[in-house]
Amino acid sequence: MEKTEKTSNSVILKICAFIVDKRNLFFLIYAILCIFSAVSRGWVDVENDLATYLPSTSETRRGLDLMAEQFTTYGSVKAMVANISYDQALEIKDYLESIDGVFSADVDETDEHYNNGSALFTITFDYDENDDRCLELLGVVQDYFEEYDAYLSTTLGDTQSELINQEMSVISVLVVIIVVAVLLLTSQAYAEVPVLLLTFGSAALVQMGTNFLLGTISFVSDSVTIVLQLALSVDYAVIFLNRYKEEHEQLPSREACIVALSKSIPEITGSSLTTIGGLVAMLFMQFGIGSDMGIVLIKAIILSLLSVFLLMPGIIMVFAVPMEKTQHKNFIPEIPFVGKFAYFSRYIIAPAFVVIIVVANRVSANTPYVYGYSQITPPLINDVQAAQNMQNDNFRSDNMMALVFPAGDYDVEKQLIDDLLMNGHVTSVTGLANTEALNGYTLTEKLTPRQFSELLNIDYEIAELIYAAYAVDDEDYAKAVNGLANYRVPLIDMFMFVYREVEEGYVTLSDELMEKLQDANRMMTFAKDQLRGEDYSRVLVYTDLPEESEETFAFIGELHSIAEKYYDADRIYVVGESVSQFDLKKCFARDNTVTNVISILAVLVVLLFTFKSAGMPVLLIAVIQGCIWINFSFPAIMHDNLFFLGYLIVSSIQMGANIDYAIVIAGRYTELRETMGKRDAIIETMNLSFPTIITSGTMLAVAGTLIGKMTSDCAIYGIGKCLGRGTIISLFVTMFVLPQILLVGDKIIELTAFVMNMPLQTKQHTGTMRIDGLVRGHIDGTVNGVVHAVVKGNVSAYIENGDVKMIEEDTDKEVEA
């Protein structure tokens, strides 16, 4: 057993020596990776639509996929122009419609388009919204309106995403400034700061540059990952650096770096596993954005680990001398009063916290979650949101839903529309069956040859010939043979048939009639492309209901009930923002349970192996879970609507990352209890743990708070606000509540330990040697504690979690003992 451990240690030391000695090779590798990443970060596709991440089984996802297959959605933009007369609005309309590629620029005297001296134009382009020509036309329209007091809103392009990226760039700079300030205060040498920044900067750049391997990532992942990567993984670099400084007290720079790396790898890897364990829970969310963000963040953590293990040793060697020359006073004070307070208040604070988390559990269950942006006001309003708000303030904006059903008889569609209009919440319905075409006729109204001839002002005989040709083309030979006087054909079908016949040269019309036919065909084709596909039709239902409410969600069911009178229930879909939010609500009910259970189980497994006790993991998880409940009690008490994604993501991060603070304290306390009493152990624990906790905790708290204060996106706002608040709560609880819980639960932890009592293997050596580990035995005097020292003399002791290295006195060269 001892031989195996020695062999393992020898292999790790050789690997670490290779990393340190071949640092120039790793500098070259990282330089190439960073240059490549600087280029490849531009290859990343970013998805801005949350509905894209709904499960494939959701109504919204199935409905959107079906509509993309069956219908054409033309690019459009709404433009509100303030302080103009109606005559000026008509002039603008005429100009816009003269632009090549603009289908229409609707405006009229109704209060839906002209109100308070402002005009609202609905500008529609000739191309599908995914066509790049729409973006070119959008640019033309934006340029035209620059001279007006105009406010434009559109779903075209990535304007919103670009604005969010600008906000996150500012936040990132501020976070870096805060991080530098914290490091200057918590470090022991000024040259330590560039070591940490170079390590993290390289990891961050490689993280951004490798996102293209995932294909497409969400705008949430794209926006917050870098800031969270810094906050979550800076601990790893700090742990390694502290270990190096500790070893460097006895060893030269190279040897200290090698030994420090060999000891840091298992320590840092273990620390990262709790964070990764919490993030793993996000991979099991039905709502795909959780999986997306979980993968990106886990990748970020792994890349940070690699940067610390492979790049940082070389950077330390480069800055070894500057770190010695730039040492300064340690600005982080000892805090013995915290440990003393914990000891004297242990029987008050611990029970009180149990009561608090029980209450917090009940209160947080009433958190007012929302599933869209309509009921949340972010701290910043960007240009896109300001334009939309101006339009909403001056013009009524009805909630629109698309009702999709099997294509069939237009008469049935007309009955459906009439039925929908009977609902008190429906303000209007747009479908082929009720869209006016010419002279009071609707697009789908069925006309006889006589009515058609009067409509176009052509001879009745010509109309009969056209109808006969249509009947043959439609394989309705009975109508062609038995007489056409009562043969009725939908207006839209007949117009499009005539236009096709003219185009193919079978029918010749006068120039005036041809112009009329072309205009009608353009309008009808445009309407049909949007409202009738090969297998399905759709109508647009406008309601006076808010985008998100229980009444709105109930109305979705009413739409299904009405449509089911005429069509098969399995082939009916309702699509819209409200339906998307309803689907998100259903996802949340399941994802909430899954993320909680998996994050707790994942972290529990890691802690069981870390502490080799059943009691300690349960206590630590209970503390952090209590912090999560307290965190989400705030919006419940303040009646502050919270975007549901904030809870799912932050609860996983808080469980995976904030529990590291608890581990630091618990691990140090367990170690010190081997040699000290409860009181002295907790006082020393808090003194030794405070620098690590305050460094990491401050960074994550600041990062979250800045994100929550400086973004205009409601999803990112919720994540940042909850993460910042949750980290501050976790810091407070781990500093002022966890010590009391450890003191009260001390006996439980001891009784639930499941480490088997193995026979102690005593090591006996004489000479000069270096000892690292928990010592139980005799070193020219009995020692029972953690030792990191060079000993000259006789040793007869059991060395736990460490080893003895014999040193040749002449060369100070370590040899295996």
Side-chain angles (χ1 to χ4, degrees):
M1 179 71 176
E2 185 178 348
K3 186 176 180 181
T4 303
E5 289 179 0
K6 288 182 179 179
T7 303
S8 176
N9 289 336
S10 177
V11 171
I12 292 176
L13 284 170
K14 287 179 180 178
I15 293 173
C16 294
F18 176 81
I19 294 172
V20 173
D21 293 338
K22 300 297 181 182
R23 53 188 175 275
N24 289 334
L25 171 63
F26 290 102
F27 287 160
L28 177 62
I29 292 172
Y30 266 86
I32 294 172
L33 283 174
C34 288
I35 293 170
F36 174 79
S37 297
V39 176
S40 63
R41 61 180 295 190
W43 304 346
V44 180
D45 292 327
V46 179
E47 177 57 63
N48 298 304
D49 186 6
L50 289 176
T52 303
Y53 295 95
L54 282 166
S56 58
T57 55
S58 66
E59 181 174 20
T60 296
R61 188 70 266 147
R62 289 184 296 155
L64 287 173
D65 292 342
L66 182 63
M67 290 200 302
E69 174 191 326
Q70 293 283 322
F71 311 110
T72 299
T73 300
Y74 289 97
S76 64
V77 56
K78 284 189 174 183
M80 173 189 149
V81 182
N83 304 314
I84 61 171
S85 65
Y86 183 66
D87 289 338
Q88 287 176 299
L90 293 179
E91 291 175 7
I92 293 173
K93 168 185 167 69
D94 292 339
Y95 176 81
L96 291 172
E97 291 185 339
S98 70
I99 298 174
D100 186 30
V102 174
F103 177 80
S104 64
D106 296 333
V107 68
D108 54 44
E109 288 185 288
T110 65
D111 59 8
E112 293 182 6
H113 285 278
Y114 190 79
N115 189 40
N116 297 331
S118 300
L120 181 65
F121 299 86
T122 302
I123 306 165
T124 308
F125 302 138
D126 279 325
Y127 311 110
D128 185 280
E129 63 180 356
N130 296 318
D131 194 315
D132 289 340
R133 287 173 291 184
C134 284
L135 294 178
E136 295 174 9
L137 285 166
L138 176 61
V140 172
V141 171
Q142 288 172 331
D143 291 342
Y144 172 72
F145 280 117
E146 277 189 359
E147 61 183 87
Y148 293 94
D149 183 10
Y151 305 87
L152 278 64
S153 64
T154 181
T155 58
L156 299 173
D158 293 326
T159 306
Q160 177 82 353
S161 178
E162 292 168 3
L163 292 171
I164 292 172
N165 283 335
Q166 292 174 11
E167 294 168 359
M168 295 308 300
S169 296
V170 174
I171 292 171
S172 298
V173 171
L174 291 175
V175 169
V176 169
I177 293 172
I178 297 294
V179 166
V180 171
V182 171
L183 292 177
L184 286 173
L185 290 173
T186 58
S187 64
Q188 295 176 345
Y190 294 117
E192 292 178 12
V193 176
V195 171
L196 297 171
L197 291 181
L198 284 171
T199 302
F200 172 76
S202 301
L205 186 54
V206 174
Q207 151 65 16
M208 291 187 288
T210 53
N211 279 335
F212 80 95
L213 297 173
L214 302 176
T216 300
I217 63 173
S218 71
F219 72 95
V220 178
S221 300
D222 184 58
S223 301
V224 305
T225 298
I226 296 304
V227 177
L228 292 182
Q229 181 183 6
L230 168 60
L232 291 174
S233 60
V234 74
D235 271 357
Y236 313 145
V238 171
I239 289 171
F240 179 31
L241 187 59
N242 287 340
R243 177 67 75 171
Y244 164 77
K245 289 185 292 185
E246 184 178 303
E247 298 296 333
H248 190 39
E249 292 176 3
Q250 300 292 334
L251 299 171
S253 297
R254 175 184 175 274
E255 287 72 16
C257 196
I258 293 171
V259 174
L261 182 59
S262 69
K263 294 177 179 178
S264 297
I265 288 175
E267 183 179 356
I268 293 172
T269 302
S271 175
S272 68
L273 287 176
T274 56
T275 304
I276 292 174
L279 297 175
V280 163
M282 296 166 63
L283 304 181
F284 292 87
M285 287 170 54
Q286 268 190 326
F287 187 42
I289 209 166
S291 176
D292 175 87
M293 195 168 180
I295 291 172
V296 174
L297 282 174
I298 289 172
K299 177 167 69 72
I301 298 297
I302 293 172
L303 290 173
S304 295
L305 287 174
L306 292 175
S307 183
V308 169
F309 295 155
L310 302 178
L311 179 64
M312 189 173 173
I315 297 176
I316 287 177
M317 293 303 297
V318 172
F319 284 87
V321 174
M323 280 194 290
E324 292 179 13
K325 292 182 177 180
T326 61
Q327 291 185 5
H328 60 76
K329 177 185 176 182
N330 187 357
F331 298 108
I332 301 298
E334 291 190 345
I335 51 170
F337 63 91
V338 174
K340 293 176 182 177
F341 170 77
Y343 185 77
F344 289 112
S345 63
R346 63 191 184 280
Y347 294 119
I348 299 173
I349 299 295
F353 183 71
V354 173
V355 174
I356 289 172
I357 63 174
V358 170
V359 173
N361 171 261
R362 303 305 305 163
V363 173
S364 64
N366 298 316
T367 298
Y369 295 110
V370 294
Y371 307 90
Y373 290 179
S374 61
Q375 299 184 55
I376 302 177
T377 302
L380 299 181
I381 302 296
N382 61 41
D383 293 342
V384 173
Q385 294 165 332
Q388 186 64 62
N389 291 341
M390 283 295 292
Q391 292 181 10
N392 293 340
D393 289 343
N394 288 276
F395 298 95
R396 188 184 74 190
S397 179
D398 288 338
N399 185 8
M400 188 270 285
M401 304 179 201
L403 177 60
V404 183
F405 48 86
D409 195 315
Y410 289 126
D411 291 337
V412 176
E413 182 178 324
K414 181 65 168 61
Q415 293 176 31
L416 171 63
I417 291 174
D418 290 341
D419 208 349
L420 290 170
L421 289 169
M422 294 292 291
N423 188 288
H425 293 298
V426 176
T427 57
S428 65
V429 178
T430 299
L432 286 180
N434 72 332
T435 298
E436 187 174 335
L438 298 169
N439 293 4
Y441 291 117
T442 62
L443 284 174
T444 62
E445 197 159 350
K446 294 181 178 180
L447 275 61
T448 64
R450 174 70 65 186
Q451 291 170 315
F452 187 72
S453 67
E454 291 173 353
L455 178 64
L456 291 186
N457 195 24
I458 60 176
D459 291 340
Y460 175 68
E461 290 77 12
I462 295 176
E464 279 192 317
L465 289 174
I466 293 173
Y467 267 64
Y470 180 91
V472 172
D473 185 71
D474 200 37
E475 298 184 356
D476 197 351
Y477 302 110
K479 293 291 184 183
V481 173
N482 298 330
L484 299 168
N486 296 318
Y487 186 27
R488 294 178 176 271
V489 177
L491 178 62
I492 185 173
D493 293 344
M494 182 54 70
F495 258 93
M496 297 183 77
F497 170 75
V498 173
Y499 184 80
R500 188 169 64 249
E501 294 294 297
V502 171
E503 285 288 294
E504 293 175 358
Y506 297 120
V507 176
T508 303
L509 300 175
S510 66
D511 292 342
E512 180 183 354
L513 193 56
M514 188 62 198
E515 183 179 352
K516 188 175 183 179
L517 181 64
Q518 286 176 334
D519 290 341
N521 180 75
R522 183 168 179 258
M523 184 271 290
M524 292 178 182
T525 301
F526 187 82
K528 190 169 184 178
D529 285 347
Q530 293 185 90
L531 298 173
R532 187 178 178 92
E534 185 176 344
D535 303 305
Y536 283 84
S537 292
R538 66 176 172 181
V539 296
L540 307 180
V541 183
Y542 296 86
T543 79
D544 59 6
L545 293 168
E547 197 172 88
E548 180 179 353
S549 71
E550 290 303 320
E551 192 176 15
T552 304
F553 295 156
F555 175 76
I556 296 170
E558 293 177 27
L559 285 182
H560 275 278
S561 298
I562 294 171
E564 286 170 14
K565 297 178 184 178
Y566 307 98
Y567 303 100
D568 185 358
D570 293 336
R571 300 184 68 194
I572 297 170
Y573 304 92
V574 181
V575 182
E577 283 297 324
S578 294
V579 186
S580 175
Q581 291 165 26
F582 189 38
D583 286 335
L584 289 173
K585 182 179 181 180
K586 289 183 282 188
C587 276
F588 177 64
R590 181 260 188 194
D591 287 345
N592 185 16
T593 302
V594 169
T595 54
N596 282 338
V597 171
I598 294 179
S599 63
I600 289 173
L601 288 177
V603 172
L604 179 63
V605 170
V606 175
L607 294 183
L608 284 172
F609 284 99
T610 301
F611 290 101
K612 301 178 178 63
S613 164
M616 182 68 84
V618 171
L619 286 177
L620 298 187
I621 288 175
V623 168
I624 298 302
Q625 184 60 54
C627 292
I628 294 172
W629 287 331
I630 294 170
N631 185 13
F632 290 98
S633 294
F634 278 81
I637 294 170
M638 300 168 65
H639 304 289
D640 183 20
N641 290 335
L642 175 65
F643 191 61
F644 79 104
L645 196 59
Y647 176 81
L648 292 177
I649 291 177
V650 172
S651 61
S652 296
I653 293 177
Q654 198 173 346
M655 177 57 72
N658 289 178
I659 202 166
D660 279 350
Y661 313 149
I663 292 172
V664 169
I665 293 175
R668 183 71 72 172
Y669 175 74
T670 303
E671 182 180 293
L672 293 175
R673 279 288 287 127
E674 296 283 344
T675 58
M676 298 181 181
K678 288 183 180 181
R679 183 179 182 278
D680 292 338
I682 202 64
I683 292 173
E684 187 66 11
T685 291
M686 301 314 295
N687 280 334
L688 295 174
S689 302
F690 182 60
T692 301
I693 294 173
I694 200 65
T695 301
S696 173
T698 299
M699 292 178 185
L700 187 57
V702 168
T705 302
L706 285 177
I707 291 172
K709 295 286 187 183
M710 301 181 64
T711 184
S712 57
D713 183 85
C714 296
I716 297 174
Y717 161 59
I719 292 171
K721 181 173 66 172
C722 293
L723 183 60
R725 183 177 61 220
T727 302
I728 293 170
I729 291 170
S730 296
L731 282 173
F732 180 84
V733 170
T734 52
M735 290 296 296
F736 298 103
V737 177
L738 177 61
Q740 289 87 329
I741 292 176
L742 290 175
L743 290 167
V744 173
D746 190 89
K747 194 65 178 176
I748 298 174
I749 296 168
E750 181 182 340
L751 291 174
T752 56
F754 52 78
V755 177
M756 294 183 65
N757 293 321
M758 301 294 291
L760 298 182
Q761 297 183 6
T762 301
K763 296 186 177 184
Q764 297 184 357
H765 301 289
T766 301
T768 302
M769 65 209 78
R770 177 170 179 80
I771 301 177
D772 291 285
L774 178 63
V775 178
R776 295 176 187 167
H778 190 83
I779 306 179
D780 283 340
T782 302
V783 175
N784 187 6
V786 177
V787 173
H788 297 288
V790 173
V791 176
K792 292 184 178 181
N794 300 317
V795 173
S796 177
Y798 166 64
I799 314 298
E800 182 182 352
N801 295 328
D803 206 350
V804 177
K805 299 286 184 181
M806 297 301 298
I807 299 176
E808 296 177 6
E809 295 190 57
D810 294 338
T811 61
D812 284 342
K813 181 180 178 182
E814 291 186 2
V815 296
E816 290 189 6

